[in-house]
Amino acid sequence: MKKLGFGTMRLPLLSEDQKNIDLKQVCRMADTFLENGFTYFDTAYMYHGGESERIFKSAVAKRHAREEYLLADKMPSFLMKCKEDNPRIFAEQLERTGAEYFDYYLIHSLDEKNYAAATEYECFEFAEKKKAEGLVKNLGFSFHDTAEVLEKILTERPDVDFVQLQINYLDWEDERVQSRKCYETCVRHGKKVVVMEPVKGGMLANLPANAERILKECSPEMSATSWAIRFAASLENVMTVLSGMSDMGQMQDNISYMKDFRPLGEEEKKALSAALAEIRNFTVIPCTGCRYCTDGCPKKIPIPDYFSLYNEYERFNEKFYPTFRLGDLKKSGGVPADCVACGSCERHCPQHIGIINEMKKVAKAFDK
């Protein structure tokens, strides 16, 4: 398997509606991906409001032979109400994707709370049965918590085949995310790792000027994104690195350096370390744009969009004029000042961001 996976959480859109996906462009991207020897696609029950799985069926499953691709999908224990939801959701996923079986199947977004739900609803036991039936080839879980919680899960679930972790060079030594510690825990347990958020929701594709200059001086032809993906792919125990590609340009850029992948060299590692020091001065709210926070918001606030805009505002200061984009956001839902501090967003945030307090900062900044 080549070390680049096609993540389908940020597919190209025809409008602001997350369900209005540009199928023609996805087809071209999927074809290009496969033509260049890449095979791993990743989707989930909730991505794009449930449309990601259906788009995969139209773009890949209906247009390519089953042996041409590998598919990963996920059981959302955090959406379940009872263990009978397992067969219902699984059957729906098989129908939506048209894949016949899943090469990789994950219990989705485990942290301490979601692991308790997955245990209560017997998600692992259900997935093991599907593995015995041949409908799941490899069983794993995606993870967003501390290395201590990961240690507990892997000790209690020694039969899982792999783990999906958030790994990028910004989070590698971050005590809140604990990328390095979680990776080392997987290595210690002999588990292969799939990487998610290598570009941290696009944050590492748009670097502060000083950081970008350092990387360009080292490798002028390489994009900012390439540094992030190659950092994750250079880790020995990493099986593949997911990239949520949103247009053909991103696809072609990724293929250009991942088709014949070369790990980071020592000089590149030094340059990346220097660039990281510059980036840390400008990272304000560490939101990756996963949108897990938005579904339960009673005021329908597009939280990730406001966080992205606020980070740009802080990073570029007087060079950034957000007025027109603020107007567009106000038309799409509530505004930060509407937040009622219900906490629904914080309960679903994989990055464990204090969203309520951050929304107060955003409201204050943009009310000006």
Side-chain angles (χ1 to χ4, degrees):
M1 186 196 301
K2 288 184 180 290
K3 278 194 166 185
L4 176 67
F6 192 162
T8 63
M9 188 170 75
R10 298 182 176 93
L11 293 172
L13 300 174
L14 295 170
S15 69
E16 293 296 317
D17 183 356
Q18 289 291 309
K19 293 184 178 183
N20 192 14
I21 299 167
D22 185 346
L23 175 59
K24 289 184 178 180
Q25 187 170 182
V26 175
C27 287
R28 292 196 299 271
M29 292 169 68
D31 292 350
T32 301
F33 187 73
L34 291 166
E35 287 165 4
N36 282 276
F38 300 93
T39 56
Y40 192 103
F41 293 83
D42 173 89
T43 188
Y45 187 71
M46 60 182 291
Y47 290 172
H48 285 280
E51 289 302 307
S52 174
E53 292 172 327
R54 295 188 179 96
I55 286 291
F56 176 85
K57 183 177 185 178
S58 298
V60 182
K62 284 185 175 181
R63 300 173 62 250
H64 292 275
R66 183 61 182 87
E67 62 270 16
E68 291 182 39
Y69 63 86
L70 301 169
L71 179 61
D73 209 337
K74 308 176 185 76
M75 177 64 73
S77 62
F78 50 88
L79 296 179
M80 296 170 64
K81 304 298 182 184
C82 60
K83 66 181 182 180
E84 285 72 28
D85 283 339
N86 282 298
R88 176 184 63 80
I89 292 173
F90 190 84
E92 192 174 349
Q93 290 177 310
L94 283 176
E95 190 282 323
R96 280 183 180 181
T97 61
E100 302 173 18
Y101 60 87
F102 298 114
D103 301 278
Y104 296 87
Y105 198 71
L106 304 89
I107 312 304
H108 197 179
S109 195
L110 292 191
D111 55 16
E112 191 167 26
K113 178 182 177 182
N114 290 342
Y115 178 57
T119 300
E120 178 182 356
Y121 301 137
E122 300 179 4
C123 296
F124 283 93
E125 289 76 7
F126 173 82
E128 288 284 4
K129 289 179 183 177
K130 294 303 168 185
K131 188 176 179 181
E133 295 170 10
L135 295 176
V136 167
K137 304 301 182 183
N138 298 275
L139 174 60
F141 58 91
S142 60
F143 183 76
H144 292 281
D145 210 322
T146 65
E148 182 180 3
V149 175
L150 180 57
E151 177 73 33
K152 169 183 167 65
I153 297 175
L154 288 177
T155 300
E156 295 180 358
R157 308 286 178 176
D159 294 332
V160 298
D161 301 299
F162 70 103
V163 180
Q164 186 164 304
L165 294 176
Q166 177 172 316
I167 294 177
N168 56 71
Y169 64 81
L170 188 60
D171 291 330
W172 187 243
E173 296 293 354
D174 189 302
E175 269 304 308
R176 183 176 45 81
V177 182
Q178 297 190 3
S179 284
R180 177 181 58 78
K181 290 181 179 179
C182 288
Y183 171 77
E184 290 173 352
T185 300
C186 288
V187 171
R188 196 165 57 253
H189 282 265
K191 307 302 179 185
K192 287 291 185 180
V193 172
V194 173
V195 173
M196 57 183 161
E197 300 293 358
V199 195
K200 203 166 173 66
M203 189 179 297
L204 299 179
N206 300 287
L207 303 179
N210 287 345
E212 186 173 15
R213 175 185 53 78
I214 291 168
L215 298 182
K216 285 295 182 184
E217 287 176 354
C218 181
S219 295
E221 74 285 0
M222 301 299 289
S223 66
T225 301
S226 72
W227 288 86
I229 291 179
R230 287 179 63 223
F231 169 84
S234 295
L235 297 168
E236 185 178 356
N237 241 51
V238 165
M239 182 170 66
T240 196
V241 179
L242 301 177
S243 178
M245 294 170 272
S246 301
D247 57 51
M248 182 59 81
Q250 293 177 5
M251 169 73 70
Q252 291 171 336
D253 180 50
N254 284 346
I255 287 174
S256 70
Y257 55 84
M258 290 302 290
K259 187 172 183 178
D260 298 305
F261 169 66
R262 176 177 55 83
L264 291 176
E266 289 306 313
E267 289 303 314
E268 290 174 310
K269 290 177 182 178
K270 290 177 183 177
L272 193 58
S273 180
L276 176 59
E278 294 291 337
I279 295 167
R280 290 196 185 281
N281 294 329
F282 290 93
T283 303
V284 186
I285 303 175
C287 173
T288 66
C290 69
R291 311 194 83 83
Y292 291 4
C293 58
T294 58
D295 288 345
C297 178
K299 296 297 183 179
K300 306 299 180 185
I301 304 170
I303 299 167
D305 300 318
Y306 277 108
F307 282 174
S308 175
L309 205 61
Y310 180 75
N311 282 346
E312 287 187 47
Y313 173 75
E314 289 292 325
R315 183 175 299 150
F316 299 108
N317 205 353
E318 72 277 1
K319 297 180 182 178
F320 178 65
Y321 300 92
T323 307
F324 73 98
R325 288 176 62 192
L326 277 173
D328 290 341
L329 280 180
K330 288 177 180 178
K331 295 175 186 176
S332 66
V335 299
D338 293 337
C339 176
V340 294
C342 67
S344 172
C345 53
E346 294 188 357
R347 287 193 292 273
H348 291 93
C349 177
Q351 309 305 319
H352 309 291
I353 298 169
I355 295 176
I356 295 170
N357 286 331
E358 297 292 0
M359 290 299 283
K360 293 176 182 177
K361 288 198 307 190
V362 175
K364 184 178 180 181
F366 288 156
D367 281 350
K368 296 177 182 178

